[in-house]
Amino acid sequence: MKHIRPKQFFGILAAILIAGGTFAASWYQGIGLLTAYLASLNILTFFIYGFDKRRAIAQKGRVPEVVLHLLAFAGGSVAAFCGQIIFRHKTRKRSFRLIFAGIVFVQIIGLGLWFYFNNAR
């Protein structure tokens, strides 16, 4: 049996859970796909930060940082920030914080441009 790499495993698992949560919330709760996606993504992101913190304490296999960054980039930056604060996780590693700040900066610029172009008439 082929060994799956942590990046692939957590990436695929996150994609499946986000897709399942998005469609379940949209279908059963009758909310829009974007709202359901963001809710599912942020809930999953928060729990993955908690899971990774527990794994760090137990000194066991960790969630790769690239997966944490991709979850934040995909729209889970609010939950990522909350997970960092509540679990006191990834708050000391400067390189991680700089990349996370860059992701948030890009998202703020993107959101500002979206609002500007959707409201400029």
Side-chain angles (χ1 to χ4, degrees), residues 22-39:
T22 298
F23 290 112
S26 181
W27 181 266
Y28 293 111
Q29 299 300 318
I31 58 178
L33 278 176
L34 180 60
T35 304
Y37 164 76
L38 289 173

Side-chain angles (χ1 to χ4, degrees), residues 40-86:
S40 298
L41 175 63
N42 277 278
I43 290 167
L44 178 69
T45 300
F46 183 77
F47 281 111
I48 286 189
Y49 268 78
F51 173 77
D52 191 44
K53 177 64 176 190
R54 289 185 74 123
R55 301 291 285 188
I57 292 169
Q59 295 183 344
K60 294 188 177 180
R62 306 279 304 280
V63 177
E65 287 184 1
V66 68
V67 173
L68 298 175
H69 286 312
L70 285 173
L71 289 169
F73 185 76
S77 54
V78 172
F81 181 72
C82 291
Q84 289 174 23
I85 300 300
I86 291 171

